[in-house]
């Protein structure tokens, strides 16, 4: 509840901040900021797999309850991340700079500003890597209030940046990049201080445990395939958009991703609270309850997104015009497609968590990660043949469905999950709910149109109500409805 209370406030602040920043920077500079940051984020290929390994090991050991082992895992994780920081910074300052200045489509008069943004992004990236073990500890201990309060600071700090950028003493893009770095440094310092104060295992000592290091790198080595595929899909797609269409379309993608980040935050919070429970129940051998969490978690993750995404999908163009004033070309279509992709991916979150919990991920990553790697070459080939920029997202959606099927087949052999049960109780369930929920908004928009605020308000409201009714009638079983009634009664009693 703390996380959701935070997200309601964060969504309003974030959407307003994006509007101010887009108008302050302009479409070209906003696109440059997104695509240059994407160059740095490409190196998540190297860090993402180890970060996932660290989170898994810390949560798993907490479930086992061995404090000595927890301390060894934490110290080893810090050592691994510090080593990785040195390697990645060297690669960024060589290969990354070369790509930025030689291959990217950026006007010559904005190249110096783009290089400043690149350096700020490199420093922020390094700080985020260093803090991964601390963040993983907060999640493992399920101290969600820490995320709620610290993220509020982050949101209002960015709102402050959006306001003061209009009176900056230097280049607006450079000034914005520098202030974003400052906020990141402060936020990471707070996370580190919190962990050291509240968790006994979060005390770093210079030590080296060969066994744990070997386990982490062995786990991360196979997980590298999945991490590489995800980064190449997202940031690689952003690079391809820049190569074929320029910064203006990157700005459209940036706008769509801002909407997506505001919406996906709700399901991320839900899964952040859910994932430690899945890992701990696997570690303790309580598989029956673990399967219940996976099925309910996947279904509820999708429903949370559906309530938020469906009204945006039906009103995207008008919503963007009302929100931004200046709407980059393709932004509305990008927003619709990325929300569909996110809803598809939400079903995979609990499956990925239990896969990581097992530690036996070689075959899984080869097959599922291999499927995800198809995103970049397929998108590139289609764009070379003249397909529109929306192709990037359409390919991602198709590959996401393919990967979902592959995950189920692999996890059936790994943890004996019921493929038929998942398809019946989760996958087909959410498809029927989505179809049913879309009928009334579609009819309303068809006959009413979307010419003014009254039309927008009616269609938006009908979409939300239709989603809730469809979820309750079709999507929820008796147990789900009982839980909803109990939760509603608790809230009602508090206000009496």
């Amino acid at each position: 509840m703390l996380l959701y209370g935070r997200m309601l406030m964060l969504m309003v602040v974030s959407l307003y901040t994006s509007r101010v920043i887009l108008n302050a920077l302009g479409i070209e500079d906003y696109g440059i900021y997104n695509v240059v940051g994407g160059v740095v984020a490409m190196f998540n290929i190297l860090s993402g797999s180890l970060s996932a390994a660290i989170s898994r090991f810390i949560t798993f050991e907490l479930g086992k309850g061995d404090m000595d082992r927890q301390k060894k895992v934490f110290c080893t994780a810090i050592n691994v991340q510090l080593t990785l920081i040195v390697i990645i910074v060297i690669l960024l300052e060589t290969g990354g700079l070369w790509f930025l200045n030689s291959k990217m489509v950026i006007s010559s008069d904005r190249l110096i500003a783009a290089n400043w943004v690149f350096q700020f992004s490199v420093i922020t990236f390094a700080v985020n890597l260093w803090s991964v073990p601390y963040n993983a500890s907060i999640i493992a201990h399920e101290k969600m209030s820490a995320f709620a309060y610290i993220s509020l600071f982050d949101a209002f700090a960015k709102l402050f940046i959006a306001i003061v950028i209009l009176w900056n003493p230097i280049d607006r893009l450079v000034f914005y990049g520098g202030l974003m770095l400052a906020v990141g440094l402060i936020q990471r310092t707070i996370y580190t201080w919190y962990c050291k104060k509240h968790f006994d295992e979060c005390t770093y000592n210079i030590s080296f445990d060969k066994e744990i290091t070997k386990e982490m790198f062995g786990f991360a080595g196979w997980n590298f395939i999945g991490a590489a595929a995800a980064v190449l899909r997202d940031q690689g797609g952003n690079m391809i958009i820049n190569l074929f269409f320029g910064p203006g379309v990157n700005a459209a993608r940036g706008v769509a991703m801002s909407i997506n980040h505001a919406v996906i935050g709700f399901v991320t919070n839900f899964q952040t609270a859910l994932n430690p429970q899945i890992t701990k129940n696997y570690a303790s051998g309580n598989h029956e309850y673990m399967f219940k969490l996976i099925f309910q978690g996947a279904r509820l993750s999708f429903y949370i997104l559906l309530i938020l995404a469906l009204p945006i999908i039906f009103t995207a163009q008008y919503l963007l015009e009302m929100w931004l004033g200046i709407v980059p070309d393709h932004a509305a279509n990008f927003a619709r497609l990325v929300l569909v992709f996110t809803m598809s991916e939400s079903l995979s979150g609990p499956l990925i968590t239990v896969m990581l919990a097992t530690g036996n991920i070689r075959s899984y990553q080869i097959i599922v990660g291999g499927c995800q790697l198809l995103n970049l070459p397929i998108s590139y080939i289609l764009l070379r043949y003249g397909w529109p920029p929306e192709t990037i997202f359409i390919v991602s959606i198709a590959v996401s469905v393919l990967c979902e099927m592959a995950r189920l087949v692999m996890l059936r052999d790994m943890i004996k999950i019921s493929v038929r049960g998942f398809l019946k109780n989760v996958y087909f369930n959410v498809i029927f709910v989505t179809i049913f929920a879309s009928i009334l908004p579609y009819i309303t928009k068809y006959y009413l149109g979307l010419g003014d605020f009254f039309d927008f308000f009616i269609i938006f409201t009908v979409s939300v109500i239709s989603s809730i009714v469809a979820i309750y009638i079709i999507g929820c079983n008796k147990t789900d409805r009982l839980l909803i009634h109990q939760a509603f009664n608790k809230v009602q009693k508090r206000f009496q």
Side-chain angles (χ1 to χ4, degrees):
M1 291 304 298
L2 282 168
L3 291 174
Y4 281 113
R6 177 201 72 164
M7 276 309 304
L8 287 173
M9 188 176 295
L10 287 185
M11 184 171 68
V12 174
V13 173
S14 174
L15 293 177
Y16 175 74
T17 301
S18 297
R19 172 195 171 99
V20 175
I21 293 299
L22 177 61
N23 283 275
L25 294 181
I27 290 178
E28 182 180 4
D29 277 4
Y30 187 77
I32 289 172
Y33 184 83
N34 277 275
V35 76
V36 170
V39 174
V40 177
M42 284 285 287
F43 284 81
N44 274 320
I45 295 174
L46 297 175
S47 66
S49 55
L50 274 174
S51 299
I54 289 168
S55 297
R56 181 264 177 189
F57 273 85
I58 288 176
T59 306
F60 191 90
E61 295 303 331
L62 187 63
K64 289 288 188 180
D66 187 340
M67 178 56 68
D68 290 336
R69 177 81 173 178
Q70 290 176 46
K71 291 181 178 179
K72 289 180 181 179
V73 166
F74 181 83
C75 292
T76 302
I78 293 289
N79 291 334
V80 167
Q81 292 298 83
L82 290 175
T83 303
L84 195 61
I85 286 171
V86 174
I87 295 172
I88 290 181
V89 168
I90 292 173
L91 291 173
L92 282 169
E93 295 295 345
T94 52
L97 273 179
W98 169 82
F99 184 81
L100 170 65
N101 291 284
S102 301
K103 297 297 181 181
M104 293 186 66
V105 181
I106 298 174
S107 58
S108 58
D109 61 318
R110 302 306 296 148
L111 200 55
I112 293 176
N115 275 271
W116 273 102
V117 170
F118 179 83
Q119 297 301 331
F120 292 143
S121 299
V122 170
I123 298 172
T124 303
F125 184 73
V127 172
N128 288 341
L129 279 182
W130 173 69
S131 63
V132 164
Y134 295 96
N135 288 11
S137 296
I138 295 175
I139 295 173
H141 284 274
E142 301 180 59
K143 299 296 183 181
M144 302 309 166
S145 59
F147 280 114
Y149 296 129
I150 297 172
S151 294
L152 285 176
F153 159 78
D154 178 66
F156 284 103
K158 289 177 179 177
L159 177 61
F160 173 76
I161 291 173
I163 295 172
V164 302
I165 195 176
L166 297 173
W167 295 280
N168 66 291
I170 57 174
D171 185 288
R172 285 185 178 179
L173 181 58
V174 176
F175 190 60
Y176 177 65
L179 290 178
M180 289 292 286
L181 167 61
V183 170
L185 290 172
I186 295 171
Q187 187 181 32
R188 294 301 151 187
T189 302
I190 295 173
Y191 275 126
T192 303
W193 168 82
Y194 179 89
C195 288
K196 289 183 177 180
K197 181 177 180 181
H198 292 89
F199 310 138
D200 292 336
E201 72 272 18
C202 293
T203 301
Y204 177 67
N205 298 309
I206 301 176
S207 61
F208 178 79
D209 190 297
K210 183 178 179 180
E211 179 187 352
I212 297 176
T213 303
K214 183 179 179 181
E215 289 181 18
M216 277 191 183
F217 274 104
F219 181 91
W222 290 111
N223 200 48
F224 175 85
I225 299 174
V231 173
L232 287 173
R233 178 195 65 213
D234 296 336
Q235 301 305 330
N238 202 19
M239 299 299 105
I240 291 176
I241 286 175
N242 179 262
L243 294 175
F244 280 95
F245 305 103
V249 181
N250 286 122
R253 181 187 179 277
V255 169
M257 297 309 294
S258 294
I259 293 176
N260 186 55
H261 289 156
V263 172
I264 199 176
F266 287 88
V267 75
T268 299
N269 285 331
F270 174 70
Q271 292 189 355
T272 297
L274 174 72
N275 291 343
Q277 287 294 319
I278 293 175
T279 302
K280 290 174 183 176
N281 277 281
Y282 177 85
S284 62
N286 190 1
H287 289 186
E288 182 178 352
Y289 185 62
M290 178 192 71
F291 288 132
K292 181 180 178 181
L293 287 173
I294 292 171
F295 281 50
Q296 284 190 326
R299 201 167 61 244
L300 292 176
S301 295
F302 188 95
Y303 294 155
I304 292 168
L305 284 174
L306 181 65
I307 294 171
L308 298 166
L310 195 65
I312 297 174
I313 290 172
F314 278 103
T315 63
Q317 185 63 41
Y318 188 88
L319 183 64
L320 287 173
E321 291 172 358
M322 183 174 59
W323 169 37
L324 297 173
I326 303 172
V327 182
D329 293 339
H330 305 283
N333 285 338
F334 283 1
R336 295 185 184 102
L337 290 170
V338 75
L339 287 173
V340 173
F341 168 76
T342 299
M343 287 192 289
S344 176
E345 286 290 285
S346 69
L347 299 174
S348 302
L351 299 178
I352 294 172
T353 298
V354 72
M355 177 274 297
L356 295 175
T358 67
N360 301 316
I361 61 174
R362 182 180 63 178
S363 298
Y364 177 95
Q365 289 291 11
I366 290 173
I367 295 175
V368 178
C371 290
Q372 286 190 329
L373 287 171
L374 296 173
N375 275 286
L376 200 60
I378 293 176
S379 298
Y380 183 85
I381 291 170
L382 293 176
L383 292 181
R384 286 279 292 179
Y385 279 93
W387 287 49
E390 286 83 358
T391 303
I392 296 284
F393 296 101
I394 295 171
V395 171
S396 296
I397 293 168
V399 173
S400 173
V401 175
L402 175 64
C403 289
E404 185 74 12
M405 298 302 106
R407 285 187 184 97
L408 287 173
V409 174
M410 295 297 298
L411 289 173
R412 178 188 60 190
D413 298 330
M414 293 171 64
I415 61 170
K416 307 302 179 184
I417 193 171
S418 172
V419 175
R420 180 179 296 180
F422 190 90
L423 291 175
K424 177 183 177 181
N425 297 310
V426 179
Y427 209 80
F428 294 139
N429 182 290
V430 301
I431 290 175
F432 291 143
V433 168
T434 303
I435 294 172
F436 186 83
S438 301
I439 293 173
L440 190 57
Y442 178 82
I443 294 173
T444 305
K445 184 178 180 180
Y446 181 81
Y447 284 102
L448 194 64
L450 192 57
D452 54 29
F453 181 79
F454 176 78
D455 296 339
F456 162 78
F457 178 78
I458 294 297
I459 295 170
F460 197 96
T461 304
V462 167
S463 299
V464 172
I465 295 174
S466 180
S467 300
I468 294 173
V469 171
I471 290 168
Y472 185 81
I473 294 176
I474 302 175
C476 293
N477 55 34
K478 292 182 179 180
T479 303
D480 295 333
R481 294 193 189 99
L482 179 61
L483 290 172
I484 292 172
H485 292 160
Q486 290 174 346
F488 180 78
N489 290 333
K490 284 183 180 180
V491 173
Q492 192 176 36
K493 287 179 181 179
R494 290 191 177 187
F495 286 94
Q496 287 179 347

